[in-house]
Amino acid sequence: MTHRVLLVAAALVTAYSATLPAQVYPAKPVRIIVPLVPGGNLDIVARAVAQRLGEGLGQQIIVENRPGASSLVGTQYVAKSVPDGYTLLAMANTFTAVPAVIANPGYDPVKDFTGVSMTCKVAQVLVVTPTLPVKTIRELVALAKARPGELSYASSGNGSTGHFAAELFNQKAGLKMLHVPYKGNAQALVDIIAGQVMMMYDQVSTSHPHVKAGKLKALAVTSSTRSNLFPDLPTIDEAGVKGYEAITFNGLLAPAGTPREVLSRLQGEVAKVVAAPALRNNFLERGVELTASGSPDEFTAYIRNEVAANAKLARNAGIKAQ
């Protein structure tokens, strides 16, 4: 009888222990790993969300920068972390292009991670050097078709957001252009202003001051809706290349195997944070639209779709893994 009581008691303790993490989460500080250096859009959004997320969760949220190897160091670190909800990854959409441009990234973006939530969307803008004789997307397409392979576009590197945005445009419009990769956006913009390269897909916040100063011409934005920084500028879809969209986005991921209850708690709190009017308006002024996914599963599915779409785009465009 005593042995039987002990077995029942042990079973009850085991059952209680199995539910305990979800009930008390978070019981200690949560870390968000930013795999890039401080100061960029990913870092700024992560820190803004983290501050208010900590208030909702009742725990400190520590944002830790682990840059290196084009974000691979920090991403690999989270992929190998314990899936308990205490180590998260702040990611940008280049995360979904990794299998297409890096042969051995050290992690699988689909198998090693699960979604928490998207945190923001950012439109890009197609800017051209002032001397290029075009004012609209239709005029650009006509010029590119008349001079196949002659028009050049810059990007911040092979497999970057701007690179994929340009190749998506080329495929949908039936164009061939020359890719000129840089090690970052800053020098690329300088060369476009100087006329050494003809165009670039850049984040709206970065190019906005140059367009206002007349140093660059803006033709259209890459999002499905117009940008508040360029309210009079059409989307590329509106301008004639139907079905085109190439936004940048940020989000939070957790290691695969993280309990569903933990993911749901995190997603719910993120949704509250990004819906706060004061914070939303502050970021909208920079061209950043804070937004949350409807559920962790929704964001996981979004990531899977982006990985597949980027792999297909890379194959069709001949973008090689390095």
Side-chain angles (χ1 to χ4, degrees):
M1 183 70 174
T2 302
H3 178 67
R4 186 175 178 185
V5 170
L6 288 174
L7 287 176
V8 172
L12 290 173
V13 169
T14 301
Y16 176 74
S17 299
T19 61
L20 189 59
Q23 292 173 347
V24 302
Y25 178 86
K28 61 181 181 180
V30 176
R31 286 190 301 163
I32 296 178
I33 305 300
V34 176
L36 299 173
V37 296
N41 182 68
L42 180 64
D43 182 67
I44 292 170
V45 172
R47 291 181 183 278
V49 170
Q51 179 182 346
R52 293 156 182 81
L53 184 61
E55 296 170 2
L57 291 174
Q59 275 289 352
Q60 182 183 12
I61 309 295
I62 301 169
V63 177
E64 181 181 329
N65 295 88
R66 282 183 175 249
S70 299
S71 82
L72 296 187
V73 171
T75 305
Q76 291 170 358
Y77 176 80
V78 178
K80 297 173 183 176
S81 297
V82 178
D84 55 7
Y86 290 101
T87 305
L88 308 175
L89 176 70
M91 53 77 68
N93 55 302
T94 48
F95 170 91
T96 63
V98 163
V101 297
I102 298 178
N104 297 296
Y107 66 91
D108 187 308
V110 172
K111 295 180 180 179
D112 292 339
F113 291 91
T114 187
V116 174
S117 177
M118 186 180 290
T119 54
C120 75
K121 297 179 179 180
V122 186
Q124 296 179 79
V125 59
L126 174 53
V127 292
V128 302
T129 188
T131 57
L132 194 67
V134 299
K135 294 181 180 179
T136 67
I137 290 294
R138 292 186 187 278
E139 291 177 353
L140 175 63
V141 170
L143 181 64
K145 286 185 175 181
R147 298 165 56 184
E150 293 183 28
L151 301 190
S152 58
Y153 72 89
S155 80
S156 60
N158 185 58
S160 64
T161 302
H163 186 193
F164 273 82
E167 288 302 333
L168 179 62
F169 180 82
N170 290 345
Q171 288 187 24
K172 285 190 171 293
L175 306 178
K176 183 179 180 181
M177 296 190 191
L178 175 65
H179 178 215
V180 183
Y182 286 75
K183 292 184 178 180
N185 281 17
Q187 187 58 49
L189 284 173
V190 169
D191 285 356
I192 294 170
I193 291 171
Q196 295 181 34
V197 186
M198 296 178 183
M199 69 195 77
M200 181 178 180
Y201 293 77
D202 187 34
Q203 288 198 359
V204 289
S205 57
T206 309
S207 284
H208 186 254
H210 298 302
V211 173
K212 285 190 67 175
K215 296 179 180 179
L216 292 171
K217 285 193 295 187
L219 301 188
V221 293
T222 64
S223 49
S224 59
T225 58
R226 297 194 179 196
S227 168
N228 65 303
L229 290 186
F230 293 100
D232 298 326
L233 207 61
T235 67
I236 290 179
D237 176 85
E238 288 176 327
V241 182
K242 295 301 180 182
Y244 182 93
E245 182 182 22
I247 60 167
T248 65
F249 67 89
N250 293 174
L252 293 177
L253 298 175
T258 300
R260 179 175 293 273
E261 296 84 355
V262 171
L263 297 172
S264 296
R265 176 78 194 282
L266 286 166
Q267 184 277 331
E269 293 299 333
V270 168
K272 294 176 185 176
V273 168
V274 300
L279 188 64
R280 282 181 58 82
N281 292 336
N282 181 37
F283 274 94
L284 277 175
E285 292 176 358
R286 312 176 199 178
V288 178
E289 178 190 355
L290 295 183
T291 186
S293 304
S295 68
D297 287 344
E298 178 183 300
F299 191 47
T300 298
Y302 187 88
I303 293 295
R304 289 177 182 271
N305 289 339
E306 287 293 302
V307 169
N310 284 333
K312 180 180 179 180
L313 178 62
R315 286 195 304 270
N316 292 340
I319 300 173
K320 302 297 184 181
Q322 297 179 339

